[in-house]
Amino acid sequence: MVEVKSQFIRLSLVAAVVGIAGCEMRPMHRMTPRAERRESAAAKPVATDSKSPTLNIETKPFGETAEGQPVRLYSLRNANGLTADIMTYGAIVVSLQTPDRKGQMDDIVLGYDRLDDYIKNSPYFGAIVGRYGNRIAKGKFTLDGTEYTLATNNNNLNHLHGGVKGFDKVVWDDEPVWKADAVGVKLSYLSKDGEEGYPGNLKATVTYLLTNKNELRIDYEATTDKATPVNLTHHGYFNLTGGERDILNHVLTLNAAQFTPVDEGLIPTGELTPVRGTPMDFTKPAEIGARINNGYQQLKFGGGYDHNWVLDKRGSGMTLAARVYEPTTGRIMEILTMEPGIQFYSGNFLDGTITGKEGKVYKHRWGFCAETQHFPDSPNKPSFPSTILRPGEKYETTTIYRFSAK
Ligand code: BGC
């Protein structure tokens, strides 16, 4: 009821703004004021000790890039002892400790111990990807009559995750965020006009908040001075066992009756296909591994799950997109988002060649990604919800990962 009411209020606000401005109704970029998000920082809590944790933020240097740019690491801790380490390079979540059903804390994200390893070879571990998460066919799109060419950094065929040097490979400006019930870091990056081939100076901010409700909340904002596609997402690789084994026993629910099928190059065909009767159906809880190798053509194309699901949504507010349960530890991760889609990727390209944190070898399907997003290749698919941000508009979207155990 509360959710319905707040959605109603949001929709009324959107309708009012649209009515006043007389512009078209676009489901993507809400232009409503978000006073609640920018509330002034709460008083900084007093020093903590580990026996009775309260909200805390610590920062420390975390090395520097090849160009000599210093990188900082933020260690966030909530009142229940959950921690998130986030660095300014790539806005990367380096570690995320959550309790299992016995209260045992474990790090549930894949990654490296050292900055250099992230710089040398990372399949987007924990990063914010942008300007455009996922693929744009042949690295080309036409906007307002101009054709733009982007890097074809995915098998020399398609554009992937913002290009050669996307938002995952730049150093973001940072400031701590203190709230009464959460701590966080606000990361900002100016992507210049023409960077990676995209039009317009795009000012992007991503605020991570670790809340006392055991949520990692990600608020994305952006503005531009020329029309440009924008599709930001977080590319965390999760393993709710704490990285002890692959993710095939994790039980997944996706609140989606349809997905966007792809061709061999993982570009959507433009159709929305019902999941019913296929191994793409996670409307009821199912183990990720139960049907992954069953020969279904879409799974062959992806080498497993690597697809965008069309979330069942009413209105433009936050909805529950996914739930993942890991039976041996009892950990549960729920994903709420304002986005219309989610890319569920079962770590198919992990093959044991990467040794990550604490010497753990990341074998096949050792982590899953659940990237909330607009659909891949939207700039070339007029029937998909628009990803175009125009001057004067504000890109605002939020995704929440909520953790519990049972
Ligand atoms: C894509 C995969 C890709 C991976 C990068 C995912 O978002 O859908 O196809 O391989 O990111 O490691």
Side-chain angles (χ1 to χ4, degrees), residues 123-124 134-135 161 235 237 266 306 343 345 349 371:
Y124 306 90
N134 214 281
R135 291 174 178 79
H161 292 336
H235 207 291
Y237 285 68
L266 301 185
D306 191 357
Q343 184 83 13
Y345 168 58
F349 293 109
E371 303 149 63

Side-chain angles (χ1 to χ4, degrees), residues 78 80 82 99 210-216 401-404:
N78 80 359
N80 308 313
L82 275 75
L210 184 65
T211 76
N212 284 345
K213 287 193 259 171
N214 294 351
E215 300 164 337
L216 184 65
Y401 305 137
R402 188 191 284 155
F403 300 103
S404 57

Side-chain angles (χ1 to χ4, degrees), residues 131 167 189-193 199-204 222-226 228-230 232 389 395:
R131 209 178 271 203
F167 290 9
Y189 177 64
L190 170 64
S191 169
K192 297 222 175 96
D193 189 10
N201 291 293
L202 185 83
K203 283 188 194 159
T223 54
T224 184
D225 58 6
K226 280 185 197 162
T228 178
V230 185
L232 305 182
L389 181 70
Y395 173 93

Side-chain angles (χ1 to χ4, degrees), residues 155-377:
N155 300 332
N156 290 324
L157 205 59
N158 297 312
H159 182 75
L160 178 66
H161 292 336
V164 176
K165 189 172 180 182
F167 290 9
D168 59 297
K169 296 182 186 68
V170 300
V171 178
W172 297 60
D173 291 333
D174 55 295
E175 58 181 89
V177 181
W178 292 93
K179 298 202 177 231
D181 56 358
V183 280
V185 54
K186 179 179 175 185
L187 298 158
S188 314
Y189 177 64
L190 170 64
S191 169
K192 297 222 175 96
D193 189 10
E195 186 177 290
E196 292 294 324
Y198 289 99
N201 291 293
L202 185 83
K203 283 188 194 159
T205 68
V206 172
T207 305
Y208 286 105
L209 279 178
L210 184 65
T211 76
N212 284 345
K213 287 193 259 171
N214 294 351
E215 300 164 337
L216 184 65
R217 175 184 171 120
I218 314 174
D219 292 320
Y220 302 85
E221 295 181 351
T223 54
T224 184
D225 58 6
K226 280 185 197 162
T228 178
V230 185
N231 190 29
L232 305 182
T233 188
H234 175 245
H235 207 291
Y237 285 68
F238 296 91
N239 183 320
L240 302 184
T241 68
E244 292 304 316
R245 67 188 76 83
D246 65 35
I247 47 87
L248 298 177
N249 73 322
H250 289 45
V251 178
L252 172 68
T253 316
L254 288 172
N255 189 10
Q258 295 173 296
F259 75 108
T260 51
V262 290
D263 64 17
E264 296 93 323
L266 301 185
I267 297 294
T269 60
E271 297 151 286
L272 309 184
T273 297
V275 295
R276 181 169 262 225
T278 79
M280 313 306 273
D281 190 352
F282 286 96
T283 53
K284 296 200 180 66
E287 276 190 9
I288 293 169
R291 298 160 293 173
I292 198 166
N293 295 322
N294 84 346
Y296 184 61
Q297 190 191 41
Q298 283 294 312
L299 292 175
K300 284 195 196 158
F301 286 166
Y305 295 106
D306 191 357
H307 296 80
N308 172 69
W309 272 258
V310 179
L311 295 172
D312 297 338
K313 291 185 89 79
R314 264 175 263 130
S316 57
M318 296 289 284
T319 50
L320 184 66
R323 183 177 194 269
V324 187
Y325 173 63
E326 199 290 302
T328 62
T329 60
R331 286 197 179 85
I332 296 168
M333 175 178 177
E334 289 170 307
I335 302 170
L336 299 99
T337 190
M338 285 162 52
E339 289 299 295
I342 191 166
Q343 184 83 13
F344 184 80
Y345 168 58
S346 49
N348 312 311
F349 293 109
L350 298 175
D351 59 4
T353 50
I354 288 180
T355 300
K357 284 181 274 187
E358 296 171 353
K360 281 186 179 150
V361 177
Y362 296 151
K363 297 187 198 142
H364 197 211
R365 299 172 176 157
W366 214 255
F368 70 86
C369 303
E371 303 149 63
T372 54
Q373 62 181 9
H374 271 54
F375 307 167
D377 201 31

Side-chain angles (χ1 to χ4, degrees), residues 58-63 69-74 86-89 92 115 171-172 174 187:
E58 280 170 22
T59 65
K60 67 172 188 193
F62 199 59
Q69 272 182 291
V71 172
R72 297 183 70 69
L73 184 76
Y74 277 70
I86 295 163
M87 69 162 149
T88 55
Y89 175 82
I92 288 172
L115 172 65
V171 178
W172 297 60
D174 55 295
L187 298 158

